[in-house]
Amino acid sequence: MEISQHEPNNNSLNDSLSLFERANLAASSKGLKELLESTLSLFSELCNARSGMFFVYQAADNHLHLRLGMGQIPAPESLRDQPLPPHALGWQAIQQKQPILHTLQAGETWQADLEALNGLPKSNILGVPFLAGESPAGVLLLIDCQTAQLEQVRWLSARLANDIYRAIRLEDTERLAERMQAMVAIFEQIGSTLDRDQLLRTMIE
């Protein structure tokens, strides 16, 4: 696998411009799902990864929840919202605030971040944190990367982190609004089916 800590100096200008344009295009995505799909696709292509997963951070329970999978990730819908274990590489990347590439050595066994991935052949895994300031937005895990331009990975994650963080918060706000509307509808239905005396007795009881 080709690994670079620095961007190439010779013919990288066009590639960098293309990456910048695609990052802006991804950031303009409508909705969290589309944004995560664009992000995962962009990073997978950049690192030539066979599989990938994006975990969204939820402050309510302080967990990273799987939201999107691609490639050879088995049954991503059945794994949706499964939390990432605290010891996993994704958490380490967030805590260290930088991408972490773990390469398996010959004969080395590796504890999968998710049990459902234990049967997936792996040679390496790259954990990419997305941080909006000090606030985690999520983490991207790429499996079997053929190339890893780490400086580009860092730049790209920093470019998209705030957009992903805002999209998550917007989704949380919309979900809360839907719950509030459902509660209002329930109370309106109760008010329309009970007369005043019945409603008072129900509230007292």
Side-chain angles (χ1 to χ4, degrees):
M1 180 186 65
E2 178 187 352
I3 302 175
S4 174
Q5 294 286 346
H6 305 284
E7 294 188 48
N9 293 322
N10 296 328
N11 298 320
S12 65
L13 181 58
N14 290 336
D15 291 340
S16 298
L17 288 174
S18 176
L19 186 65
F20 179 79
E21 292 168 353
R22 293 187 61 186
N24 287 338
L25 184 62
S28 67
S29 301
K30 296 181 180 179
L32 178 60
K33 184 176 184 295
E34 182 181 342
L35 177 55
L36 294 183
E37 288 175 346
S38 298
T39 299
L40 185 51
S41 175
L42 186 54
F43 274 87
S44 296
E45 183 177 335
L46 176 64
C47 297
N48 194 15
R50 183 172 63 176
S51 303
M53 298 171 287
F54 201 103
F55 293 81
V56 167
Y57 176 75
Q58 294 293 341
D61 60 5
N62 193 33
H63 279 104
L64 289 164
H65 295 271
L66 178 63
R67 289 296 299 272
L68 188 65
M70 61 147 285
Q72 297 186 23
I73 301 302
E77 285 301 320
S78 67
L79 295 177
R80 178 172 172 145
D81 291 330
Q82 183 172 346
L84 197 62
H87 64 275
L89 182 69
W91 276 113
Q92 296 175 29
I94 284 181
Q95 291 163 359
Q96 296 184 27
K97 301 180 180 180
Q98 63 179 355
I100 297 178
L101 179 67
H102 177 69
T103 302
L104 291 174
Q105 304 301 320
E108 179 186 359
T109 58
W110 181 66
Q111 179 65 37
D113 284 340
L114 293 174
E115 288 186 7
L117 303 178
N118 282 331
L120 183 64
K122 296 170 286 290
S123 62
N124 61 62
I125 183 169
L126 175 65
V128 184
F130 288 75
L131 300 168
E134 296 297 318
S135 302
V139 66
L140 176 65
L141 297 182
L142 295 173
I143 297 171
D144 285 345
C145 301
Q146 300 304 309
T147 60
Q149 301 288 345
L150 295 185
E151 284 300 319
Q152 290 183 335
V153 167
R154 291 188 187 96
W155 177 86
L156 192 56
S157 62
R159 168 64 186 84
L160 293 172
N162 286 326
D163 298 286
I164 293 175
Y165 182 81
R166 285 193 295 266
I168 294 171
R169 299 286 77 81
L170 178 60
E171 184 181 79
D172 291 342
T173 301
E174 291 174 345
R175 187 181 296 115
L176 178 59
E178 289 175 357
R179 291 175 181 170
M180 294 296 294
Q181 290 175 358
M183 291 178 62
V184 170
I186 292 173
F187 284 122
E188 289 178 345
Q189 185 177 8
I190 292 175
S192 64
T193 56
L194 295 176
D195 62 29
R196 185 166 176 264
D197 291 337
Q198 285 180 305
L199 183 58
L200 288 173
R201 285 197 298 270
T202 300
M203 293 174 66
I204 293 173
E205 292 173 358

